[in-house]
Amino acid sequence: MFRLIYAPGDGIGPEIGDIALNILEYQLKKYGVQYEITEILFGGCAVDAYGVPLRSVDTSVVKNSDAVLLGAVGGPAWDGVDPSVRPEKGLLTLRKECDAYANFRPARVYACLKNASPLKDRITDKGIDIMIVRELSSGIYFGERAEGENEAYDTEYYSRAQIERIIRKGFECAQTRGKKLCLVDKANVLATSRLWRRIMAELSAGYPDVEASAMYVDNAAMQLASAPYKFDTVVTSNLFGDILSDEAAVITGSIGLLPSASIGKVDIYEPIHGSAPDIAGTGKADPVGMILSAAMLLRYRLGLPEAAAEIERAVENALEYGYRTPDIAPAGNYTDKIIICTTAQMGEAISDALRQ
Ligand code: IPM
Ligand code: MN
């Protein structure tokens, strides 16, 4: 029995989440997966209802499940709440409790959306297909910190075990892709980065088919914008992965398109964008990132690559047909056959393509 937790969250989360859940259930049925779904309030909506972003009873429910399908959490409505019960804090607790340590964030440019990328054609023409493997359950996000009136600190801590398991995931991922793994760090300054480099060098011997390299994060930020085609698989720490994955997302055209998978004891599948409260309820949200997150669930958790690929092809079909939510709509005049559409229409176009 596959036990799924559905946490639509805040802002646009429920709009895009319901569409993705429908598509996921369609595939689960088609592939004969026995499943049960439990919906929970998580994030700002849970703060409003219970005073905390994730109740401990819900934490237990999650820990007894296989995977969480998550919309998005947070928004300015909860900016004023105590930091210990901020929606973002709930997200970090969820990641930790699930031991979701390996975060996979793919970024690729669809041929038909090349014009949505802010990069020049001569760069996108060389093809962009990057997988960022971000360490998600340790590092400076979880290190000791203190916050005073006139001083504050955060700590970047990594143990060998924490680094080894994520670098292994990076190598294994690279083996299924372009067979290049680049460690992004700040080894010219940080002790933790130098430990990552040593462990990367040790482990690389076990993956002779993968070309291993390392790059400083400042340089990587530059290269992602100037020569993204040079990257295949990137492995990096929690904070650097957070920053670089937003950068990688925007060069694909829209952060609304990108999914993520966070693998651990219990997996978490969520789009990489936020809850976009400014467009919630307007029908402008792009459901693609969330739908592709459901595809990642089928591939990573259930070992159903064909079921995942069917969703991915359906998304491509809808985009190639011309469907565009406002985030990927061309600016100004355009001659191509383009159908500017709502969240629901994009969802329907993808569902229809899947059913064909
Ligand atoms: C992300 C988000 C989170 C992070 C925030 C909301 C805590 O930006 O998933 O990338 O920094 O990890
Ligand atoms: Mn982020």
Side-chain angles (χ1 to χ4, degrees), residues 88 91-92 95 105 134 136 141 238 242 270 272:
E88 291 83 354
L91 188 57
L92 299 186
R95 289 172 180 171
R105 296 189 165 185
R134 167 188 177 193
L136 198 66
Y141 274 62
N238 202 340
D242 178 48
E270 56 174 324
I272 88 156

Side-chain angles (χ1 to χ4, degrees), residues 145-166:
R145 72 177 102 249
E147 209 166 340
E149 203 44 54
N150 297 309
E151 54 184 354
Y153 67 85
D154 301 277
T155 319
E156 173 91 329
Y157 167 93
Y158 271 110
S159 70
R160 169 172 285 273
Q162 289 165 344
I163 299 169
E164 267 185 23
R165 66 177 184 171
I166 188 71

